[in-house]
Amino acid sequence: MIFYSTRSRQHTADATEAVLKGIAPDGGLYTPVDFDQMQVDVGALLNKSAVEISAEVIGKILNDFTPEEMRALIDAAYAGKFETEDLTPVEKVGEDFVIELFRGPTSAFKDVALSVLPRLITAAKAKLGVEDEIVILTATSGDTGKAALEGFHDVEGTRIIVFYPDGGVSDVQKAQMVTQAGGNVGVCAVKGNFDDAQTGVKNIFADDQRSHWAATAGARLSSANSINIGRLAPQVAYYFKSYCDLVLRGEIRLGDPVNFIVPTGNFGDILAGEFARRMGLPVAKLVCASNANKVLTDFINTGVYDRRREFYKTASPSMDILVSSNLERYLFLASGGDFELVARLMADLREKGVYTAPQSLMDAMRERFSAGCADDARALDAIGRVWRAYGYLMDTHTAVGWAVMEEFKAREDNGWVNIVLSTASPYKFSRDVLSAISDAQPESGFGAMDMLHETTGVPVPARLAELRSLETRFADCVEKDAMLGYVKGMISGNREQE
Ligand SMILES: *Cc1c(COP(=O)(O)O)cnc(C)c1O
């Protein structure tokens, strides 16, 4: 499979190179275009396990790995890490469905991909004979950081440095990161918001591209953000898996299209749904759900992507994003691989903060995508109503999806089954979830966790419950223009120890 940079014709890579590099040298995102080569026979997946489905689907996308290699890699990646063999169980809630993507080690959906990515990277490294240490740089809006730390800690030949926005993540998310174990990990707060941290990381890559300081230190920078295709591929699998579950339970017939409602930030998860559709999964609509930072809702409805707007800190912080990186991949696919168009739109975004997509592209997008947004008040209201009506407890991100689904059904009910992607455990955002179902006023995030458990009886994930007894290991906090120096210091510090 050839992966193209979204920004220029000359930068192509095979799967192993794309996974190892993370981002193309021109700043574009590696994207496959030949979906004919990646078709999946959905019927043939029906009697397969979650792990088998993952290996098959990921193997279609990253086809430099043999099916045997991929199977071994996926087995090892998920073994013993998830609460259930099923990895991503589907629950029926009222007349709709929720796919629970948060049953992994950090209680957020990013575990699904970040359990696999380190294995892909080490396998790619071995295949390409690369000896440099792979240094993973990650900007996080809260969940990626911990899931990446959990995936990479003590993985030989790798190091991971995570930047999170100071004050921009929940108490529990912060505790998860700053207590991370492992000899190859670093965690640092940035004075700024998620976009600042993400831009900072992109600038570090660009700086290294110009002056190659990492190579001089025996290191190679890579990314665990969803700009890495190795992060996206594992997410495609659960779309197929949830579909198979509904066929097996008799809720739909094989071939029926379904709608997926996806709480969206960086557009990675929903883009994985678009990959699944292009790979042969019957998808009616992908519904893009945003919180008050509704730049994507506005884009899908108007064709104008405009990040020049107020940034809101919301109760769904993992979706507090104004520059959704993976949309670039969609623009590339929907324009039939028009590098020049994508490069121009991305330059506009960088220089002017706004771009307008061609009408034809937007028409194509709207056939497949629908969009809506829900602010905190509506999301919390949905948590309360769903809890009271069905005894099902949703987190704040999932609740944005639920509220947008309700609006979607009212606006354009196409009669097909709706599946909401549930992206985090309610216990990761206990304080807000609790406030949606009771009047309790807990002192801390952990107090809220206890009260939420007392109020609902829903079990607390063991790894979250144990957090408060762990020691804080990382207290660094830097200005956004000091991120580069921080990384250089970590890498050269590493060198001196050797
Ligand atoms: C990352 C994240 C999202 C957004 O996913 P994208 O792939 O960035 O669109 C939604 N909910 C939670 C809980 C997340 O951690």
Side-chain angles (χ1 to χ4, degrees), residues 108-110 141 143-144 173 226 231 235 262-270 318-319 321 326 395 397 423-424 429:
F109 93 96
K110 292 180 171 74
S141 55
D143 288 334
T144 302
Q173 286 177 316
S226 51
R231 188 43 214 286
Q235 298 184 24
V262 190
T264 297
N266 231 342
F267 209 75
D269 201 2
I270 194 166
S318 300
M319 295 157 62
I321 293 176
N326 270 294
D395 98 293
H397 302 74
T423 51
F429 305 94

Side-chain angles (χ1 to χ4, degrees), residues 179-197:
T179 60
Q180 177 65 44
N184 64 338
V185 303
V187 177
C188 182
V190 178
K191 293 193 180 128
N193 60 32
F194 170 71
D195 289 316
D196 295 324

Side-chain angles (χ1 to χ4, degrees), residues 1-9 11-15 18 29-39 60-63 229 232 271 274-275 277-279 328-339 342:
M1 184 71 60
I2 303 172
F3 292 81
Y4 294 87
S5 163
T6 45
R7 296 192 191 175
S8 61
R9 195 174 302 279
H11 294 294
T12 59
D14 62 17
L29 307 186
Y30 287 117
T31 306
V33 295
D34 187 357
F35 284 84
D36 289 343
Q37 265 195 59
M38 296 194 274
Q39 290 304 300
K60 289 273 186 192
I61 304 170
L62 306 176
N63 69 352
I229 191 72
L232 210 61
L271 185 73
E274 171 67 7
F275 272 45
R277 188 182 72 74
R278 288 177 182 245
M279 291 168 73
E328 176 170 350
R329 282 196 167 104
Y330 181 75
L331 297 172
F332 183 69
L333 289 174
S335 64
D338 189 339
F339 311 92
V342 175

Side-chain angles (χ1 to χ4, degrees), residues 37 61 127 233-234 282 290-291 304 308 346 366 395 401 496:
Q37 265 195 59
I61 304 170
K127 262 191 194 295
S290 300
N291 62 23
V304 180
R308 301 166 305 173
M346 292 304 114
R366 287 181 201 123
D395 98 293
E496 279 151 25

Side-chain angles (χ1 to χ4, degrees), residues 39-63:
Q39 290 304 300
V40 171
D41 176 358
V42 184
L45 296 181
L46 285 176
N47 46 17
K48 296 198 168 163
S49 70
V51 165
E52 287 168 331
I53 292 176
S54 290
E56 170 128 1
V57 171
I58 303 169
K60 289 273 186 192
I61 304 170
L62 306 176
N63 69 352

Side-chain angles (χ1 to χ4, degrees), residues 204-230:
I204 295 170
F205 280 108
D207 190 77
D208 181 51
Q209 209 75 54
R210 285 190 295 272
S211 50
H212 308 286
W213 42 266
T216 311
R220 231 181 230 231
L221 305 185
S222 191
S223 162
N225 280 82
S226 51
I227 53 182
N228 192 316
I229 191 72

